[in-house]
Amino acid sequence: MRSDTAALTTITLPEIRLRVRDAHKLRGYFGELFREHSPLLHNHYEDGTFRQQYPLVQYKVLDGTPTLVGLGEGAALLVELFLRIRELDIDGRHYPVQAKHIEHRTEAIGPVAGLRRYRFETLWMPLNQDNHRQYQTQSAAEQQAQLTRILTNNMLALLKAVGAYASDMPLLLVHLLPGEPVVTQFKNQSMLGFMGEFVANIALPDGVGLGKSVARGFGAVRRVD
């Protein structure tokens, strides 16, 4: 079965240690630092309107390490900006960047013949206000089915963003093992997030995000088999 490919750039700052919840501060810092460069860096256009598409530049803290991930156009953009990353300012604390690593490669993405297992490295946020209320009223089996549908749609949104979606694409087969939900504060509201694992017949690059607010580090995945 054919899978498409996408350019992927990962930048890490290995000598700086941050908390997972600082990922949105990374986004704020770099989005402001390079505000005039591209709306892909902060997902807002010049007139202030929000860019609704899947974010092609994402900011994460993985294993304590500040990480930037770019896909497609975002991958090329991070290569261009790499040498201009010289410091961080997080909550008024100044971090000189004395070491930084960049990896730029082409990754397979899209349906594959076999099943692959993935783990969420950061909280997956599948629910919005409306389907959160629906989720709370359902049986365990209905909740599982709802989350599986949402995860499938999350992956399709990613494929469309990098041009790897086709109308005749084979059906995605997804089995989700979400684990226990975690209550977290999201934009000053209590929402449910999930860690867990899933199995699917799709190739996904390590580090890309699925679900809500992936630009701020949520829903980062890693292959585990």
Side-chain angles (χ1 to χ4, degrees):
M1 182 184 295
R2 171 182 168 271
S3 64
D4 285 281
T5 61
L8 179 76
T9 298
T10 303
I11 295 174
T12 55
L13 310 177
E15 294 185 353
I16 298 174
R17 309 303 290 173
L18 295 178
R19 300 164 297 181
V20 172
R21 64 186 181 186
D22 290 328
H24 78 280
K25 299 173 185 176
L26 276 178
R27 177 180 181 270
Y29 175 76
F30 284 114
E32 185 61 33
L33 181 65
F34 299 122
R35 172 164 291 278
E36 305 304 320
H37 203 86
S38 171
L40 294 181
L41 293 163
H42 45 74
N43 279 329
H44 287 85
Y45 294 108
E46 291 184 4
D47 61 2
T49 57
F50 184 70
R51 180 182 176 275
Q52 298 288 347
Q53 295 94 336
Y54 178 89
L56 295 177
V57 176
Q58 303 169 15
Y59 307 87
K60 309 165 192 288
V61 178
L62 302 175
D63 297 324
T65 301
T67 303
L68 285 68
V69 174
L71 282 162
E73 292 179 59
L77 184 59
L78 289 189
V79 170
E80 183 181 345
L81 297 177
F82 176 69
L83 292 178
R84 297 173 59 183
I85 299 175
R86 300 186 179 94
E87 63 181 11
L88 288 182
D89 190 327
I90 303 295
D91 282 341
R93 183 174 180 181
H94 179 73
Y95 299 87
V97 174
Q98 298 175 336
K100 54 186 175 180
H101 298 160
I102 185 169
E103 184 177 7
H104 179 71
R105 62 189 186 275
T106 299
E107 284 274 347
I109 185 168
V112 292
L115 294 174
R116 300 185 179 188
R117 181 181 290 266
Y118 298 91
R119 175 189 301 123
F120 286 109
E121 297 289 291
T122 58
L123 274 180
W124 173 50
M125 300 283 289
L127 302 172
N128 56 34
Q129 288 183 341
D130 293 333
N131 57 24
H132 178 267
R133 286 191 290 267
Q134 179 187 10
Y135 178 87
Q136 298 283 41
T137 65
Q138 295 181 134
S139 68
E142 290 170 332
Q143 290 176 341
Q144 175 78 11
Q146 181 187 20
L147 293 178
T148 299
R149 287 194 302 271
I150 292 171
L151 178 59
T152 303
N153 289 334
N154 290 168
M155 289 188 283
L156 290 175
L158 166 58
L159 297 186
K160 290 176 181 178
V162 297
Y165 175 82
S167 59
D168 60 348
M169 190 179 74
L171 180 68
L172 293 187
L173 305 174
V174 182
H175 179 59
L176 175 65
L177 306 168
E180 292 299 319
V182 177
V183 178
T184 187
Q185 288 297 119
F186 181 72
K187 297 183 179 180
N188 297 319
Q189 294 184 339
S190 294
M191 296 293 289
L192 293 181
F194 301 84
M195 294 299 286
E197 298 183 354
F198 62 94
V199 176
N201 62 331
I202 187 170
L204 297 172
D206 283 348
V208 300
L210 299 173
K212 293 176 61 65
S213 212
V214 299
R216 302 177 184 220
F218 286 96
V221 303
R222 184 176 302 278
R223 188 175 174 185
V224 293
D225 68 347

